[in-house]
Amino acid sequence: MTRLLASVANLDELALAATGGADILDLKDPTRGALGDWALEDIARAVAQAGLLQSPRALSATVGDLPMEPAVVRARVAETWASGVDFVKIGLFPAGDPAGCVAGLAAEVQRGARLVAVLFADLWPDARLLPDIARAGFAGAMLDTAGKGAGGLLRHKTMAEIARFVEDARGLGLFTGLAGSLGLEDIPALLPLAPDYLGFRTALCAGGNRGGALDPAALAAVRAAVFQTARA
């Protein structure tokens, strides 16, 4: 069954998203790029706060929009994983050495890290790195967008291409996620593909302003749409 990932920008939003029924709380600063990272000390505070929730939720944390330099990426991933989150998300960009970054992270997986690769639909013409991601031992792969002002996921990929991504990733043993300025109207179209997660930020904020505060009513609407459509 598809679950709801909510990107949260601070501790207040973390509590709100947990209360509002998000299945995974994604620590991401929308003012710092496509996968803007939280400060490590704030991630540690989020881990502590999540541990006090009556209904525990999984935590993921991004590592920021890093240059595709294996040593840089591996160091940041190791620091973030050490903070105690359940998953670390790494955005893969075409420039630099993304394949080398993926291969270098196999050592972190062997140390116990649970990693999620993010491929950007508006930057990658295909999902050619999926076999490398699976070979390195990543837990999952997500299809997202880097340019949040250039339209959502369905503007950059056809339904057939998105379905192929989900199918290929699942066939390689990866859990799957879809994100990228998704709106309420995208939920009925994407849920039949059965991704493990649908990820949201913009649709959860008042007025669709991803840099603004999370809105409880918007979150409730998205949660209801995922829940109801999945069971229709």
Side-chain angles (χ1 to χ4, degrees):
M1 179 177 296
T2 299
R3 291 175 285 180
L4 170 61
L5 178 150
S7 291
V8 298
N10 51 55
L11 294 177
D12 288 339
E13 290 190 354
L14 179 111
L16 189 157
T19 302
D23 299 296
I24 186 165
L25 309 173
D26 181 43
L27 311 181
K28 183 168 68 175
D29 185 346
T31 69
R32 291 170 56 82
L35 294 179
D37 55 327
W38 282 32
L40 291 172
E41 57 268 26
D42 291 332
I43 296 175
R45 292 188 185 100
V47 171
Q49 180 170 313
L52 299 176
L53 296 173
Q54 290 185 343
S55 300
R57 298 287 190 257
L59 284 185
S60 64
T62 63
V63 295
D65 296 346
L66 297 176
M68 294 289 93
E69 300 173 10
V72 172
V73 171
R74 183 175 173 183
R76 182 61 183 181
V77 166
E79 291 175 333
T80 304
W81 176 252
S83 67
V85 294
D86 298 291
F87 299 99
V88 177
K89 290 171 59 183
I90 307 99
L92 299 177
F93 297 88
D97 186 11
C101 291
V102 170
L105 288 171
E108 298 307 317
V109 172
Q110 292 170 3
R111 291 183 173 89
R114 301 183 73 193
L115 308 182
V116 180
V118 180
L119 294 173
F120 297 107
D122 49 342
L123 300 181
W124 290 96
D126 52 44
R128 67 188 72 175
L129 284 181
L130 279 179
D132 296 326
I133 291 163
R135 193 176 304 115
F138 279 54
M142 293 190 70
L143 191 60
D144 200 340
T145 57
K148 302 304 181 183
L153 178 64
L154 289 168
R155 179 174 177 177
H156 299 285
K157 295 294 181 186
T158 66
M159 285 298 298
E161 289 172 324
I162 298 170
R164 179 65 180 270
F165 171 85
V166 172
E167 180 182 356
D168 288 351
R170 183 178 294 123
L172 290 165
L174 300 164
F175 73 71
T176 59
L178 301 175
S181 299
L182 300 181
L184 281 170
E185 68 280 3
D186 299 317
I187 294 172
L190 294 175
L191 277 180
L193 305 182
D196 293 290
Y197 289 97
L198 288 180
F200 298 87
R201 172 67 193 180
T202 302
L204 305 182
C205 298
N209 175 17
R210 73 184 295 267
L214 228 62
D215 176 34
L219 172 59
V222 169
R223 178 63 182 162
V226 172
F227 184 86
Q228 293 169 3
T229 305
R231 291 154 179 79

